[in-house]
Amino acid sequence: MSNVRWGLLSTANINRRVIPAIRSSQRGELVAVASRTKERAETYATEWEIEQAFGSYEAMLESGAVDAVYIGLPNSMHAEWTIRALEHGVHVLCEKPFALSLEEVDAVVEAVKATGNVAAEAFMYRHHPQTKLLGQWVQEGRLGDLLAMRGVFNFRVTDPQDVRLAPELGGGCLWDVGVYPLSLAQYIFGGRPQEVVGHQTVGDSGVDEVFAGQMVYEGGGFAQIMSSFRSPFYTYAEIIGSEGRLTLTRPFVAPQEGRITFYPAQGEPQEVEAPQEYLYLGEIKDMHAAILDGAESYLTLAETRNHVRTVLALYESAEKGQVVEIGD
């Protein structure tokens, strides 16, 4: 295989971000799309100039036409269709959250082991040079001892029929956007927290429409996260160390529109420049390296399991009104 033939498993709105990444990559091509009806798939294929259209997800997986799929289905369907794709010999880039339970994550891991195929969670910002720069600063000790991290991702959901508001589909602002600052904390601190506290506001929808959490990491580092479906769009992140702090106005989306500022312990604030590339390109290139070169995925399934484990602990804490410890 010299390049990867991609299929879109669903016609989800997020596809519009991923399609340019596949098409601008050097080792991938978009060849197919599948929907629940042939008519919808054909309409979508015409709109986006995709060669093949399939009237069911299973039909595309059985066709032999694709080497890899991007899954942008509702959250509750992620694990099921990731496993089905793997069992059909197809590699998978699955939109976050990768799964809604540890049992589902473990089932995917077993399918990866059994088939030898690649599965990875699609956290596009983790692959971006801006995020890697943050990790470099922390690892090099430029902030001194790491003390705390704060992160926010809010945006307003106005359509009551939005799948993000459907409990049966894995809706909720923590699963949808709160996982971004959560995953940044895991990346910065190098693993899962030891204990968490969560607070949520559940709307008439039956899902959390506001969620705030605090996490304590090994060595005493703290992370505070907040997400909301009731606030206008807003993202922010701050990493605080004994020798200074970094702030980001666009840590998760549209980094080219954002600003990184370093506030040293002594001296004036400094603007920090990060290399730029299309936000979704990194995760596609990483999949190509894993599929074609046998490289390990940059975002490992162990990290993904910790994402899911921490979200579940935060929800448990919010429901019980108490601190929840995360064991080994």
Side-chain angles (χ1 to χ4, degrees):
M1 190 191 307
S2 60
N3 67 346
V4 177
R5 300 171 300 164
W6 282 90
L8 302 174
L9 204 153
S10 90
T11 56
N13 199 35
I14 188 64
N15 288 354
R16 73 191 192 283
R17 306 294 188 192
V18 177
I19 290 172
I22 295 173
R23 287 179 166 163
S24 63
S25 67
Q26 296 181 347
R27 299 200 288 177
E29 57 178 329
L30 179 58
V31 301
V33 61
S35 186
R36 288 173 293 177
T37 69
K38 183 72 168 178
E39 180 182 12
R40 173 58 180 152
E42 290 177 343
T43 299
Y44 194 89
T46 299
E47 177 185 359
W48 287 96
E49 298 180 347
I50 301 171
E51 180 181 349
Q52 299 179 73
F54 294 91
S56 73
Y57 307 141
E58 194 75 24
M60 185 171 71
L61 296 178
E62 293 176 345
S63 68
V66 299
D67 306 306
V69 292
Y70 169 73
I71 296 179
L73 293 165
N75 297 343
S76 61
M77 303 171 70
H78 285 180
E80 174 190 355
W81 284 99
T82 294
I83 292 171
R84 289 196 189 191
L86 292 169
E87 291 175 344
H88 280 87
V90 177
H91 307 284
V92 179
L93 177 64
C94 181
E95 187 55 42
K96 57 77 201 160
F98 195 69
L100 298 179
S101 72
L102 292 180
E103 290 77 13
E104 287 185 334
V105 176
D106 293 342
V108 174
V109 170
E110 288 304 311
V112 168
K113 292 177 180 178
T115 63
N117 295 317
V118 176
E121 186 174 26
F123 258 121
M124 76 299 190
Y125 90 97
R126 276 289 311 275
H127 298 267
H128 194 271
Q130 174 176 272
T131 309
K132 293 181 178 180
L133 180 65
L134 301 184
Q136 182 180 344
W137 274 60
V138 170
Q139 291 158 15
E140 292 177 352
R142 298 181 68 175
L143 298 178
D145 296 330
L146 190 59
L147 304 176
M149 174 264 172
R150 296 191 296 141
V152 180
F153 195 153
N154 299 342
F155 83 104
R156 197 185 304 278
V157 175
T158 58
D159 180 3
Q161 301 304 314
D162 194 307
V163 295
R164 297 176 178 89
L165 299 178
E168 69 276 12
L169 296 178
C173 68
L174 178 57
W175 278 125
D176 189 65
V177 288
V179 288
Y180 283 97
L182 183 152
S183 69
L184 180 60
Q186 313 288 63
Y187 173 56
I188 293 300
F189 284 105
R192 56 171 174 75
Q194 295 179 322
E195 62 181 42
V196 305
V197 176
H199 301 278
Q200 64 182 342
T201 300
V202 176
D204 294 338
S205 62
V207 304
D208 53 297
E209 297 182 12
V210 181
F211 200 103
Q214 180 162 293
M215 303 173 286
V216 182
Y217 289 84
E218 185 177 0
F222 291 91
Q224 295 175 324
I225 64 169
M226 191 263 185
S227 57
S228 174
F229 286 157
R230 297 183 176 182
S231 167
F233 174 81
Y234 175 62
T235 63
Y236 178 79
E238 180 178 28
I239 303 169
I240 302 170
S242 60
E243 299 302 320
R245 61 190 176 93
L246 280 170
T247 64
L248 295 91
T249 60
R250 288 298 185 95
F252 311 118
V253 295
Q256 71 280 1
E257 299 175 8
R259 185 173 65 256
I260 310 174
T261 308
F262 174 52
Y263 296 86
Q266 303 290 332
E268 296 298 313
Q270 306 166 17
E271 296 299 309
V272 179
E273 295 292 331
Q276 293 296 327
E277 70 174 16
Y278 182 64
L279 181 58
Y280 290 78
L281 181 58
E283 64 184 10
I284 298 299
K285 292 195 297 186
D286 187 68
M287 283 291 293
H288 292 166
I291 295 168
L292 299 174
D293 306 330
E296 183 178 12
S297 297
Y298 177 69
L299 181 59
T300 67
L301 291 178
E303 290 178 87
T304 288
R305 194 177 193 276
N306 278 338
H307 295 158
V308 175
R309 191 175 191 181
T310 306
V311 170
L312 294 172
L314 283 164
Y315 275 129
E316 180 184 353
S317 173
E319 291 166 3
K320 293 182 176 179
Q322 63 186 41
V323 174
V324 171
E325 295 184 357
I326 302 180
D328 294 332

mmCIF file of all heavy atoms in Angstrom, residues 48-66:
data_model
loop_
_atom_site.group_PDB
_atom_site.id
_atom_site.type_symbol
_atom_site.label_atom_id
_atom_site.label_comp_id
_atom_site.label_asym_id
_atom_site.label_seq_id
_atom_site.Cartn_x
_atom_site.Cartn_y
_atom_site.Cartn_z
ATOM 1 N N TRP A 48 -19.586 16.884 -2.202
ATOM 2 C CA TRP A 48 -18.183 16.944 -1.831
ATOM 3 C C TRP A 48 -17.261 16.275 -2.860
ATOM 4 O O TRP A 48 -16.071 16.112 -2.615
ATOM 5 C CB TRP A 48 -17.982 16.283 -0.468
ATOM 6 C CG TRP A 48 -18.520 17.125 0.648
ATOM 7 C CD1 TRP A 48 -19.741 17.032 1.245
ATOM 8 C CD2 TRP A 48 -17.859 18.213 1.288
ATOM 9 N NE1 TRP A 48 -19.886 17.984 2.218
ATOM 10 C CE2 TRP A 48 -18.737 18.726 2.268
ATOM 11 C CE3 TRP A 48 -16.592 18.804 1.135
ATOM 12 C CZ2 TRP A 48 -18.391 19.804 3.087
ATOM 13 C CZ3 TRP A 48 -16.248 19.874 1.956
ATOM 14 C CH2 TRP A 48 -17.143 20.361 2.908
ATOM 15 N N GLU A 49 -17.804 15.883 -3.998
ATOM 16 C CA GLU A 49 -17.021 15.292 -5.095
ATOM 17 C C GLU A 49 -16.264 14.048 -4.616
ATOM 18 O O GLU A 49 -15.059 13.915 -4.784
ATOM 19 C CB GLU A 49 -16.059 16.320 -5.683
ATOM 20 C CG GLU A 49 -16.781 17.522 -6.286
ATOM 21 C CD GLU A 49 -15.825 18.542 -6.876
ATOM 22 O OE1 GLU A 49 -14.597 18.451 -6.605
ATOM 23 O OE2 GLU A 49 -16.282 19.425 -7.612
ATOM 24 N N ILE A 50 -17.031 13.128 -4.027
ATOM 25 C CA ILE A 50 -16.484 11.857 -3.558
ATOM 26 C C ILE A 50 -16.927 10.763 -4.527
ATOM 27 O O ILE A 50 -18.092 10.694 -4.918
ATOM 28 C CB ILE A 50 -16.977 11.549 -2.130
ATOM 29 C CG1 ILE A 50 -16.548 12.676 -1.175
ATOM 30 C CG2 ILE A 50 -16.441 10.213 -1.643
ATOM 31 C CD1 ILE A 50 -17.163 12.580 0.201
ATOM 32 N N GLU A 51 -16.023 9.895 -4.890
ATOM 33 C CA GLU A 51 -16.251 8.935 -5.972
ATOM 34 C C GLU A 51 -17.349 7.922 -5.679
ATOM 35 O O GLU A 51 -18.213 7.662 -6.529
ATOM 36 C CB GLU A 51 -14.935 8.197 -6.257
ATOM 37 C CG GLU A 51 -15.036 7.175 -7.372
ATOM 38 C CD GLU A 51 -13.711 6.458 -7.603
ATOM 39 O OE1 GLU A 51 -12.684 6.906 -7.050
ATOM 40 O OE2 GLU A 51 -13.714 5.450 -8.332
ATOM 41 N N GLN A 52 -17.362 7.332 -4.492
ATOM 42 C CA GLN A 52 -18.287 6.243 -4.205
ATOM 43 C C GLN A 52 -19.212 6.592 -3.038
ATOM 44 O O GLN A 52 -18.786 7.213 -2.065
ATOM 45 C CB GLN A 52 -17.514 4.964 -3.859
ATOM 46 C CG GLN A 52 -16.622 4.459 -4.987
ATOM 47 C CD GLN A 52 -15.869 3.210 -4.585
ATOM 48 O OE1 GLN A 52 -16.451 2.120 -4.475
ATOM 49 N NE2 GLN A 52 -14.579 3.334 -4.352
ATOM 50 N N ALA A 53 -20.462 6.145 -3.138
ATOM 51 C CA ALA A 53 -21.450 6.373 -2.087
ATOM 52 C C ALA A 53 -22.096 5.038 -1.719
ATOM 53 O O ALA A 53 -22.463 4.247 -2.600
ATOM 54 C CB ALA A 53 -22.512 7.356 -2.556
ATOM 55 N N PHE A 54 -22.255 4.794 -0.416
ATOM 56 C CA PHE A 54 -22.845 3.553 0.068
ATOM 57 C C PHE A 54 -24.057 3.864 0.939
ATOM 58 O O PHE A 54 -24.032 4.789 1.757
ATOM 59 C CB PHE A 54 -21.820 2.750 0.869
ATOM 60 C CG PHE A 54 -20.667 2.243 0.046
ATOM 61 C CD1 PHE A 54 -19.511 3.003 -0.096
ATOM 62 C CD2 PHE A 54 -20.746 1.012 -0.587
ATOM 63 C CE1 PHE A 54 -18.448 2.540 -0.858
ATOM 64 C CE2 PHE A 54 -19.687 0.541 -1.355
ATOM 65 C CZ PHE A 54 -18.535 1.308 -1.494
ATOM 66 N N GLY A 55 -25.103 3.053 0.774
ATOM 67 C CA GLY A 55 -26.353 3.278 1.487
ATOM 68 C C GLY A 55 -26.415 2.671 2.867
ATOM 69 O O GLY A 55 -27.463 2.716 3.516
ATOM 70 N N SER A 56 -25.305 2.109 3.343
ATOM 71 C CA SER A 56 -25.220 1.646 4.723
ATOM 72 C C SER A 56 -23.751 1.629 5.117
ATOM 73 O O SER A 56 -22.866 1.541 4.260
ATOM 74 C CB SER A 56 -25.818 0.242 4.897
ATOM 75 O OG SER A 56 -24.966 -0.741 4.334
ATOM 76 N N TYR A 57 -23.501 1.706 6.421
ATOM 77 C CA TYR A 57 -22.121 1.688 6.898
ATOM 78 C C TYR A 57 -21.490 0.324 6.627
ATOM 79 O O TYR A 57 -20.330 0.226 6.221
ATOM 80 C CB TYR A 57 -22.072 1.989 8.396
ATOM 81 C CG TYR A 57 -22.791 3.255 8.798
ATOM 82 C CD1 TYR A 57 -23.540 3.315 9.981
ATOM 83 C CD2 TYR A 57 -22.742 4.396 8.007
ATOM 84 C CE1 TYR A 57 -24.207 4.468 10.350
ATOM 85 C CE2 TYR A 57 -23.411 5.562 8.371
ATOM 86 C CZ TYR A 57 -24.147 5.583 9.546
ATOM 87 O OH TYR A 57 -24.812 6.719 9.920
ATOM 88 N N GLU A 58 -22.274 -0.728 6.839
ATOM 89 C CA GLU A 58 -21.770 -2.083 6.638
ATOM 90 C C GLU A 58 -21.365 -2.314 5.188
ATOM 91 O O GLU A 58 -20.352 -2.969 4.912
ATOM 92 C CB GLU A 58 -22.841 -3.097 7.053
ATOM 93 C CG GLU A 58 -22.352 -4.512 7.210
ATOM 94 C CD GLU A 58 -21.553 -4.731 8.490
ATOM 95 O OE1 GLU A 58 -21.747 -3.966 9.447
ATOM 96 O OE2 GLU A 58 -20.752 -5.680 8.503
ATOM 97 N N ALA A 59 -22.130 -1.769 4.275
ATOM 98 C CA ALA A 59 -21.828 -1.954 2.850
ATOM 99 C C ALA A 59 -20.460 -1.392 2.494
ATOM 100 O O ALA A 59 -19.711 -2.000 1.720
ATOM 101 C CB ALA A 59 -22.918 -1.306 1.997
ATOM 102 N N MET A 60 -20.135 -0.233 3.036
ATOM 103 C CA MET A 60 -18.823 0.339 2.745
ATOM 104 C C MET A 60 -17.713 -0.506 3.356
ATOM 105 O O MET A 60 -16.681 -0.754 2.714
ATOM 106 C CB MET A 60 -18.722 1.777 3.256
ATOM 107 C CG MET A 60 -17.396 2.465 2.876
ATOM 108 S SD MET A 60 -17.358 4.237 3.232
ATOM 109 C CE MET A 60 -17.270 4.201 5.031
ATOM 110 N N LEU A 61 -17.909 -0.979 4.580
ATOM 111 C CA LEU A 61 -16.881 -1.782 5.230
ATOM 112 C C LEU A 61 -16.648 -3.099 4.507
ATOM 113 O O LEU A 61 -15.529 -3.619 4.485
ATOM 114 C CB LEU A 61 -17.270 -2.049 6.684
ATOM 115 C CG LEU A 61 -17.376 -0.820 7.603
ATOM 116 C CD1 LEU A 61 -17.822 -1.245 8.997
ATOM 117 C CD2 LEU A 61 -16.068 -0.055 7.665
ATOM 118 N N GLU A 62 -17.704 -3.656 3.916
ATOM 119 C CA GLU A 62 -17.593 -4.934 3.212
ATOM 120 C C GLU A 62 -17.090 -4.803 1.778
ATOM 121 O O GLU A 62 -16.745 -5.800 1.152
ATOM 122 C CB GLU A 62 -18.963 -5.627 3.182
ATOM 123 C CG GLU A 62 -19.458 -6.080 4.548
ATOM 124 C CD GLU A 62 -20.858 -6.669 4.485
ATOM 125 O OE1 GLU A 62 -21.535 -6.468 3.448
ATOM 126 O OE2 GLU A 62 -21.264 -7.332 5.462
ATOM 127 N N SER A 63 -17.043 -3.576 1.269
ATOM 128 C CA SER A 63 -16.778 -3.366 -0.153
ATOM 129 C C SER A 63 -15.328 -3.593 -0.561
ATOM 130 O O SER A 63 -15.047 -3.864 -1.743
ATOM 131 C CB SER A 63 -17.160 -1.931 -0.531
ATOM 132 O OG SER A 63 -16.266 -0.998 0.083
ATOM 133 N N GLY A 64 -14.398 -3.454 0.374
ATOM 134 C CA GLY A 64 -12.985 -3.510 0.008
ATOM 135 C C GLY A 64 -12.500 -2.234 -0.641
ATOM 136 O O GLY A 64 -11.351 -2.169 -1.106
ATOM 137 N N ALA A 65 -13.333 -1.211 -0.667
ATOM 138 C CA ALA A 65 -12.989 0.035 -1.354
ATOM 139 C C ALA A 65 -12.163 0.977 -0.492
ATOM 140 O O ALA A 65 -11.559 1.918 -1.007
ATOM 141 C CB ALA A 65 -14.263 0.746 -1.807
ATOM 142 N N VAL A 66 -12.146 0.745 0.837
ATOM 143 C CA VAL A 66 -11.459 1.682 1.725
ATOM 144 C C VAL A 66 -10.462 0.945 2.616
ATOM 145 O O VAL A 66 -10.660 -0.217 2.976
ATOM 146 C CB VAL A 66 -12.461 2.467 2.604
ATOM 147 C CG1 VAL A 66 -13.405 3.281 1.736
ATOM 148 C CG2 VAL A 66 -13.235 1.545 3.526
#
